[in-house]
Amino acid sequence: MRHARRRIVRRTARLAAVGGLLVGATMVTRAVAGEPSDVSAAPHTSVRTTAGTGAGLVSRLGTSRTAGHWVGSDGRPVVAVTDERTAERVRRAGAEAKVVRHSMSALKSAARALRSAPRVPGTAWALDYRSNEVVVRGDSTVSGSDWSRLTGVARDIGEFVRMERTDGTFTTRLNGAEPILSTAGRCSAGFNVTDGRSDFVLTAGHCGPTGSVWFGDDGGDRQVGRTVAGSFPGDDFSLVEYADGKAGDGADVVAVGDGKGVRITGVGEPAVGQRVFRSGSTTGLRDGRVTALDATVNYPEGTVTGLIETDVCAEPGDSGGPMFAEGIALGVTSGGSGDCDKGGTTFFQPLPEAMESLGVRLIVSPREGAGPGAAPSSPAATGGGGTAPGAAAPGAVAPVPDVNGSTLLSRLTDRRNVGPGMLVVAGSLIALVATRWIRAEQDRKAYRRHYSTTWG
C-alpha cells in the first residue's frame, strides 16, 4: 500500500513538472511573438491611439464638417461634427460623435477676428472644442474700458465667443526646474535635441535673447551653453547649444526627483482631455489635463499664438520646463496665471512646431518603449531639468533602474517579457530532475535491501 501511494505521488509530480514545462514554453513563445519588430518605433499607447483616431477622422472629414476632437472621460475619442450624416461616419469608425452648431472653420475665423482687433495685454483666447466656443479670458490687469471694447468685438463675431475674467495675471514663468541661469534671468531647461552635429537644450524663447550665456549653478562655475536661436514673441522657444557640443550621458532621460526619471521615447501632439505632466524648479512635478489648443496669449512682452492650454498649475520659476505624457515629449512651459495653491491655467509651446522651425530632432531612448529610465548622471544630462518630467502616464515615474530603464525584478515578473516563462520552465525542470533523482535513490535503497537479504 505504501509503495502504491509513493508511485501515485511520483507520477503526479512528474505530470505537474511536464505540464509546467509546456506552460512555460507557451509563455515564452507568446512573449517573444508579442515583442515589437521595430524597437525604434515610438510606443503605441492607448491615449495616443485615441488621439490618432480623432485626428484622422477630423483630417478626412474636413474643417467645414468637424470642430475638433478630444479624449472622453471613458478614454474613447470624441469628434465634434456639424451634421448627423457626418456623425454616422464617425460612429462607424469607432469614435463617439457630438453634433455641434459651429465648425472648425467658424471657430478659427473668430480667433482671427480677435487677433486682428487692437491688442490688449493680459488677455488670452483658445478654441474650446467641447463647448464649441472660443473662450476669451482677461486677467486682473485688464481695465474696464479695454474689456468692454474687446467684449464688443466678441459680440460682433457671434454668440459662440465666451468672455471670462480670471484671477491673477498672464505672465511668462521665468526660472525653472534644476535651473539654468544667465544675465537674462533664471529658466528651466526643457528637452535635449540635436541637429546631427551638436546637441542643444530646447527651452522657452522668453528666457533670453540670442547670445545669452547660461550657467548651471549660482556661482557661475559651470557653463551650460549659449542661446543660438529662438523666437519670442509670436512663438516661445529657443535653442541653447551645449558649451562642449554634447548633452552627455542620459540625454534621453528627464528626471522627476527623488532619484527617479523617465525615458523620453518620442515627440507628439496632445489631444484635448489628455492627462499631461510638467515640471519646474519652483513647484516640481505636476499633472493636469489639456483643456484647449491653438491658444493665443497677450503677454506684456508680446503676443504668442498656437499654444497648448492646460489646467496644470505653474508659478514663476517654472518657465521652459518640459511637458510630456507617457514618455512622449509635447511642449515647453510658456506662461499662465494662478498658482499651485489655488490652481490656474498654464500654456505650453508645442514641441513639433519648435523643432521643425529650428531644424533639430529630439534625443530619445535608443530602446523606445523601454519605460521609465534611470535618472541622469548630472543636471546637464537632461538639459538641466533636475526635477523635470517625462512622460506621462503615472507609471512613467519609477525607481532608478538598470540601463534598460526597469528593475530586474519588474522585468522578470512582467508577463509581457520572457522572464516569467523562463522561471516556470526552470522550476519545472528542477522538479522533474528532483522526481527522477528521488525515484533513483529509492530504487537504489530497495536494491541494497534486497541484496543484503539475499546474500546476508
Side-chain angles (χ1 to χ4, degrees), residues 95-112:
E96 182 180 342
K98 180 181 179 181
V99 179
V100 297
R101 291 184 60 187
H102 309 288
S103 68
M104 177 63 74
S105 298
L107 296 179
K108 289 190 173 183
S109 177
R112 285 194 297 270

Side-chain angles (χ1 to χ4, degrees), residues 288-306:
R289 304 246 173 214
V290 176
T291 54
L293 300 174
D294 198 18
T296 296
V297 185
N298 293 299
Y299 295 124
E301 303 93 333
T303 299
V304 180
T305 62

Side-chain angles (χ1 to χ4, degrees), residues 149-456:
R149 186 169 63 253
L150 193 59
T151 299
V153 173
R155 190 181 302 114
D156 292 338
I157 295 172
E159 79 285 356
F160 59 95
V161 180
R162 188 172 82 240
M163 306 294 289
E164 292 182 352
R165 294 303 296 254
T166 185
D167 296 331
T169 58
F170 290 124
T171 60
T172 52
R173 300 307 205 183
L174 206 59
N175 299 342
E178 194 63 36
I180 51 174
L181 307 100
S182 77
T183 55
R186 183 171 179 260
C187 258
S188 307
F191 296 100
N192 283 314
V193 296
T194 183
D195 63 2
R197 299 182 300 275
S198 299
D199 297 343
F200 309 83
V201 178
L202 199 160
T203 187
H206 68 262
C207 289
T210 299
S212 300
V213 178
W214 295 92
F215 298 89
D217 51 31
D218 292 324
D221 298 326
R222 182 172 61 83
Q223 182 176 333
V224 174
R226 181 187 301 268
T227 301
V228 295
S231 177
F232 179 81
D235 298 301
D236 195 0
F237 56 78
S238 64
L239 207 56
V240 177
E241 183 175 14
Y242 278 102
D244 60 1
K246 295 297 177 183
D249 295 336
D252 60 323
V253 174
V254 175
V256 294
D258 297 328
K260 299 175 182 179
V262 173
R263 288 196 186 280
I264 299 302
T265 59
V267 61
E269 298 178 353
V272 173
Q274 180 179 357
R275 188 185 186 195
V276 293
F277 292 76
R278 72 115 196 104
S279 183
S281 65
T282 302
T283 57
L285 184 67
R286 301 284 175 160
D287 73 296
R289 304 246 173 214
V290 176
T291 54
L293 300 174
D294 198 18
T296 296
V297 185
N298 293 299
Y299 295 124
E301 303 93 333
T303 299
V304 180
T305 62
L307 298 176
I308 303 164
E309 181 189 283
T310 74
D311 61 9
V312 185
C313 72
E315 296 179 8
D318 292 330
S319 246
M323 178 180 76
F324 57 92
E326 302 178 14
I328 304 300
L330 300 173
V332 292
T333 306
S334 174
S337 65
D339 56 41
C340 288
D341 289 329
K342 299 178 181 178
T345 300
T346 302
F347 301 94
F348 295 85
Q349 165 67 50
L351 208 59
E353 175 194 349
M355 292 195 304
E356 181 179 359
S357 177
L358 295 167
V360 295
R361 65 180 184 273
L362 195 66
I363 297 177
V364 298
S365 170
R367 180 178 179 268
E368 298 193 359
S377 56
S378 68
T382 57
T387 58
V397 181
V400 174
D402 65 350
V403 294
N404 287 325
S406 59
T407 61
L408 177 62
L409 179 60
S410 66
R411 285 187 290 127
L412 286 178
T413 56
D414 187 347
R415 62 181 177 83
R416 296 170 296 179
N417 294 330
V418 300
M422 293 299 292
L423 289 175
V424 173
V425 170
S428 300
L429 283 173
I430 292 172
L432 189 61
V433 171
T435 57
R436 297 286 295 181
W437 181 85
I438 291 171
R439 179 179 179 182
E441 184 66 13
Q442 289 174 341
D443 289 345
R444 187 178 66 83
K445 289 180 178 179
Y447 178 77
R448 288 180 62 186
R449 287 196 300 270
H450 176 75
Y451 183 86
S452 299
T453 302
T454 304
W455 296 94

Side-chain angles (χ1 to χ4, degrees), residues 58-84:
V58 167
S59 177
R60 291 197 301 273
L61 297 172
T63 57
S64 62
R65 291 188 290 172
T66 63
H69 67 95
W70 60 93
V71 180
S73 58
D74 59 356
R76 292 183 60 202
V78 183
V79 179
V81 298
T82 56
D83 60 84
E84 190 58 41

